Amino acid sequence: MKGQIEMKQELFFGNWLSAATDEKLEIHEQSWLLAEDGKIKSLGKEKPQVAESVRVHNFGDKLLIPPFSDLHLHAVQAMNCGLGLDLTLLDWLKTYTYPEESRFADPAYAEAVFRRVIHELWKFGSLNSIIFSSLHKEATLLLMKLLQEAGLRAYVGKVNMDRLSPDYLHESAEESLAATREWLEESRAYGALVKPIITPRFAPSCTDQLLEGLGLIVEDYDLPLQSHLNETPEEVALVHELFPRAQNYLEVYEHFGLLPRGKTVMAHCIYNSREEEAFLLEKQITIAHCPSSNMNIASGISRIRDYMKEGFLIGLGSDISGGESLSMQQVIKDALKSSALLSRKRKLTVPPLSLNEIFYLATRGGRAFFPESGGFEEGLSCDFLVIDDEVDKLPRQFSLEERLHRFLYYASPDEITTRVLAAVILPEPQL
Ligand code: GUN
Ligand code: FE
């Protein structure tokens, strides 16, 4: 038609499963999804009428699910996965984490590790992620560049920390703020899929001067923010000691303008006071629930299901290397197990997280950060994972819902055979 701009269309066929809400699994069996310019146009049983030239991807009887969003991970801790998990947070940081993060002054080391992390995010289907780098500006820029090249969607933060760390992993407040502004200017090149996020490590790692400066940067650049909150009782006690005037931990961040509404993600949030809970809700802060990490380093069990029902924004985080794996299937299993134990501890007065609730957390929990991903409604980015569970080889039949259970709770990540972002099949990233 005259004047009409040509759209790039693609057709995909298979069994589509998504968490429409935390209570409803949506299933489109043997259905057609039409994508236009990388976005979902329609999904239904009828094959849309399209030109002969439109590419058709037929995934037959395979399961097609939204990609996972990993809302909290430390890319620079990947080589520590599985190490030191018999310690608790503050000792673990000193003994394992800070020495490892100091290695990221070396760009060659950084590149080797980041390539592995990116390969795993791809392999495990975490096409959306929110990532801590180290305090090193160059390493952080490199991580952003490599993510962009791999076609993954991510927020990445240069860590800020100017106290309570060893000399070999330390920056002054001035250095930290100057490096952060430089990093923000230089990271503009990676804008479309990979975005910067302000990242004070956690309140105890930062002086008032640093937090104040970061608050100004958040305002100047209108940026999102990530940090840690209420992960262990010892950490909470340390915050009270270091910030005696603050009523609670969250207020420290609030005081310095570090809680941009709807654009803040806080990892853990286990030991929240009533006041903090009200404030988390009011500020629309996303909670990154990290069950693997919380169990490994004995941090505690978060009342995630209560929070979901009370309207908090919550998603899942692997938190490597507090968590031992980047596999979201692992994190999903740990979310189930820790909520089941909490349910038992409360004499079954509250149920554990249901399958669909956890599926919702893993795919839509990051909606404040990745509103374009996580489902199959018209207008969303055409993002999905193809799961080949080979059920036709098994001696009995399973419903589509049962197949999803098996994939999430039982199967090997190798069942993920294809990853699609904005209607493009992502090639395997180079190691
Ligand atoms: N709190 C401050 N730094 C860290 C970290 O690296 N990992 C975890 N789990 N908690 C933290
Ligand atoms: Fe963490």
Side-chain angles (χ1 to χ4, degrees), residues 225-265:
L225 181 135
Q226 64 179 344
S227 195
H228 296 90
L229 181 74
N230 290 327
E231 181 175 2
T232 72
E234 299 78 16
E235 169 210 18
V236 176
L238 183 59
V239 171
H240 284 295
E241 195 184 307
L242 295 171
F243 300 93
R245 283 198 305 252
Q247 295 289 315
N248 57 54
Y249 194 160
L250 191 55
E251 197 185 287
V252 175
Y253 296 121
E254 162 61 7
H255 177 78
F256 293 103
L258 295 170
L259 301 177
R261 184 184 298 277
K263 296 201 299 191
T264 298
V265 54

Side-chain angles (χ1 to χ4, degrees), residues 75 132 180 298 409 411:
F132 274 57
T180 301
Y409 288 156

Side-chain angles (χ1 to χ4, degrees), residues 74 77 89 92-93 97 201-202 228 231 268 293 297 319:
H74 299 259
Q77 295 173 18
L89 177 66
W92 171 82
L93 284 173
T97 312
R201 175 165 214 122
F202 65 158
H228 296 90
E231 181 175 2
H268 307 292
S293 170
I297 54 175
D319 192 25

Side-chain angles (χ1 to χ4, degrees), residues 37 53 59 66 68 77 83 169 174 196 198 208 231 277 378 407 413:
D37 290 338
S53 56
F59 294 109
F68 296 129
Q77 295 173 18
L83 303 187
L169 189 69
E174 291 86 0
I198 295 300
D208 285 18
E231 181 175 2
E277 286 173 355
E378 184 185 345
F407 169 69

Side-chain angles (χ1 to χ4, degrees), residues 17 31 106-107 134 154 157 169 172 182 230 232 308 347 390 421:
L17 292 92
S31 295
D106 172 1
S134 57
L169 189 69
S172 68
E182 285 167 26
N230 290 327
T232 72
M308 268 181 100
K347 303 197 180 345
E390 301 193 346
L421 192 142

Side-chain angles (χ1 to χ4, degrees), residues 93 96-102 161 164 166 168-169 201 205:
L93 284 173
Y96 287 90
T97 312
Y98 294 156
E100 177 60 18
E101 290 195 12
S102 72
M161 47 194 286
L164 298 189
Y168 59 78
L169 189 69
R201 175 165 214 122
S205 287

